Amino acid sequence: MSKYILGSRLNHKVLDSRVAATALWLVDLALIGTISAFFAALPLTWASATGTRFGRFLGRVFRNRTRHVCANLVLALPGTSPEEIEQLAEEVWGNAGAVFAEYPHLAKFTDPKHGLLRIETVEPDPAYCRPGTPVVFVAAHLANWEVACAAMTQLGIRSHALYAPLANPWLDRIMVRHRSKLGCETVSREAGLRGFLEALKSGEAPAMIIDRRIKGGKPIPFFGVDKDSSTLPAGLALRFDAPLVPVQVERHPGARFTVRFHAPLTPRDPDADMNAQALDLTCQIHEHYEDWIRARPGDWLCTSRIWLDSAIEAKAAPSGQDCPPGRDKAPAGV
């Protein structure tokens, strides 16, 4: 929460001081812990609905952050009117709030008796569901992406989900505890490669979300504009000759979801070298993401910079489209 209030630059300055960082983390813990406890006390459907309203409220409060949402949506959905972009931005924030409210209830999604997940596999008898079969899963920040691991658990797949640790160590422990209810192993970004190599050697399944821009990534087209992206999932799948399976999550009313396991991706040129095949597979992953986001743009968590500012400005300039009137310009570094 503090990064939204302070902005990136000021937040980094505060974190440079051990005392100031500790004080800020305690404030975050008290605020977010209290809100999370409130949602935990509610039935899941109430929590999700209340979280949606809470998220929409945050979108109106954090107007600078909402500009990131608008800019991302404008680039991804050319030709969409400013009014539609504004409505979609509210939906993005509403979905984000619902996801936050659903964290204390994640354990419910692993139990089929609750009927919260509809699991679909494109293949009638996917080989990756057989015990001891290594597989690599990729997903996007759509709907509640966390429940993808719950679906894998229901299918009997032992998954290892990559996550980026939170700066606040106390909140990070809470998040890890929530995710542990999904039946998957959580793998810190700092230890991701080693953990994934061991998982694949054991016939288990790394799971990663790669729709964000990452430092040091490869430039891969995403909605027609290069985004620095991770080729790690593709590289691992190729190295271990494992299926690379895109997983799509769709939200339905009442905190219910469809988790769809698509057919494994294969290189379009199997004779190309390993690096070229990894780039091709990552392009294919992005093409799936584009289709999913176009179908349900309000379910996409795009509150951070997905592309470099220069790319967004160049793409948006021809249409002259911007965020809805009344939105404040975001200061640099927020």
Side-chain angles (χ1 to χ4, degrees):
M1 188 72 75
S2 64
K3 70 178 181 180
Y4 293 138
I5 297 173
L6 297 176
S8 297
R9 288 185 177 178
L10 185 55
N11 193 46
H12 286 308
K13 289 180 180 179
V14 169
L15 294 180
D16 287 339
S17 166
R18 181 66 177 269
V19 174
T22 301
L24 191 62
W25 289 338
L26 285 171
V27 171
D28 261 358
L29 179 64
L31 178 61
I32 296 178
T34 299
I35 298 172
S36 181
F38 168 73
F39 287 130
L42 297 176
L44 171 60
T45 53
W46 292 12
S48 182
T50 305
T52 299
R53 292 191 288 271
F54 176 64
R56 289 174 181 264
F57 166 75
L58 291 181
R60 292 189 289 271
V61 172
F62 299 126
R63 293 192 295 171
N64 289 333
R65 184 63 59 165
T66 298
R67 281 199 56 81
H68 296 334
V69 176
C70 293
N72 291 328
L73 291 172
V74 166
L75 191 149
L77 306 170
T80 306
S81 70
E83 293 75 21
E84 290 175 294
I85 292 294
E86 182 173 21
Q87 180 180 349
L88 288 172
E90 290 182 359
E91 292 178 15
V92 167
W93 278 106
N95 181 70
V99 171
F100 176 72
E102 288 157 2
Y103 268 106
H105 301 274
L106 287 181
K108 297 181 177 70
F109 293 99
T110 61
D111 192 339
K113 73 179 182 183
H114 293 296
L116 298 172
L117 299 184
R118 182 172 66 203
I119 301 173
E120 299 178 356
T121 58
V122 172
E123 296 178 309
D125 181 26
Y128 52 79
C129 286
R130 299 166 192 164
T133 302
V135 56
V136 179
F137 294 107
V138 287
H141 286 96
L142 281 167
N144 189 336
W145 54 92
E146 301 285 1
V147 304
C149 284
M152 295 172 201
T153 298
Q154 288 196 28
L155 291 175
I157 299 170
R158 185 171 175 79
S159 62
H160 298 250
L162 184 69
Y163 81 101
L166 300 177
N168 185 328
W170 297 310
L171 288 180
D172 188 58
R173 283 195 286 270
I174 292 174
M175 290 296 290
V176 170
R177 187 168 67 247
H178 286 325
R179 287 174 171 143
S180 69
K181 307 297 184 182
L182 293 167
C184 66
E185 296 288 334
T186 52
V187 180
S188 170
R189 184 171 56 188
E190 284 73 16
L193 183 57
R194 177 183 296 179
F196 287 160
L197 291 175
E198 293 175 354
L200 286 165
K201 289 176 183 176
S202 302
E204 297 175 352
M208 287 165 271
I209 295 177
I210 61 166
D211 59 322
R212 297 283 178 83
R213 175 167 55 92
I214 68 162
K215 185 177 180 180
K218 300 292 185 181
I220 306 289
F222 191 41
F223 289 104
V225 178
D226 282 351
K227 172 178 73 70
D228 292 340
S229 305
S230 173
T231 59
L232 177 60
L236 288 172
L238 291 168
R239 178 174 175 179
F240 286 86
D241 194 24
L244 178 62
V245 179
V247 184
Q248 179 183 8
V249 183
E250 295 180 345
R251 178 180 291 278
H252 304 295
R256 284 173 165 76
F257 300 87
T258 294
V259 182
R260 185 173 298 111
F261 293 81
H262 287 257
L265 304 177
T266 57
R268 284 175 275 215
D269 182 3
D271 295 324
D273 61 50
M274 191 76 76
N275 288 334
Q277 290 187 41
L279 290 173
D280 170 48
L281 287 172
T282 308
C283 285
Q284 293 186 51
I285 294 169
H286 280 188
E287 290 164 8
H288 275 74
Y289 291 172
E290 290 170 5
D291 291 341
W292 303 347
I293 291 167
R294 289 190 187 104
R296 293 171 176 257
D299 283 357
W300 183 33
L301 185 73
C302 55
T303 55
S304 62
R305 285 189 173 96
I306 307 298
W307 295 271
L308 295 173
D309 288 347
S310 57
I312 290 179
E313 291 168 3
K315 185 76 172 181
S319 66
Q321 200 167 12
D322 199 352
C323 290
R327 300 291 186 192
D328 293 339
K329 292 288 183 182
V334 175

